[in-house]
Structure formats: structure tokens, C-alpha cells
Amino acid sequence: MAPRFLTLADVSEILNISAPQAYALVRSGELPAIQIGGRLQWRVEATELERYIERMYEQTRARNAHTASPGDAAR
């Protein structure tokens, strides 16, 4: 059974980004997370990470569609 919550280290590994980048995503609210435990460690729900990834795909598609030139479709 896959874990429900991921550490920021897990998120960093999955997204292939640095730990500070993962922390920035959480602190900005772009990637929803909770703080738990006595040390208030960040945890990201696996489903939230999947939603974030899907949003990034959608944003990338929209950006590419917006910046595509008419000749790109013929290629």
C-alpha cells in the first residue's frame, strides 16, 4: 500500500527538484501541505501531489498552445 502522506524529501525526489524548491512550493501554497508532529514537519498528501502535477501539465499545454505558431501544426 502506497503511503498517504509524503515528506518534502519524497516530493523533491518525485519531481526531481531540490529540497528548497519543494519547500517553496509548499510555503507559497502552490502545493497544498500540512504540518504535523512536535517539530511541525511538512507532509504532502499523495493525491495533492498528483493534482499539482496535473495542473502543471494543463498550464504547460495552455502555454504551448498560446505560443505555438501557425506553422507548428503542419510539422
Side-chain angles (χ1 to χ4, degrees):
M1 182 172 162
R4 179 175 177 180
F5 290 97
L6 305 168
T7 65
L8 290 187
D10 295 332
V11 171
S12 296
E13 185 176 329
I14 291 166
L15 295 178
N16 196 27
I17 60 175
S18 69
Q21 288 172 313
Y23 181 73
L25 287 174
V26 166
R27 291 291 297 178
S28 71
E30 194 171 347
L31 178 59
I34 59 172
Q35 284 186 295
I36 59 171
R39 294 184 180 178
L40 296 176
Q41 297 292 308
W42 287 104
R43 294 295 182 266
V44 176
E45 197 162 2
T47 56
E48 290 295 340
L49 180 58
E50 289 302 319
R51 285 187 199 118
Y52 170 78
I53 292 168
E54 284 303 315
R55 284 195 311 274
M56 293 302 100
Y57 273 120
E58 289 171 15
Q59 288 178 14
T60 301
R61 281 192 291 271
R63 186 171 46 249
N64 289 341
H66 178 71
T67 61
S69 65
D72 289 344
R75 292 182 195 167

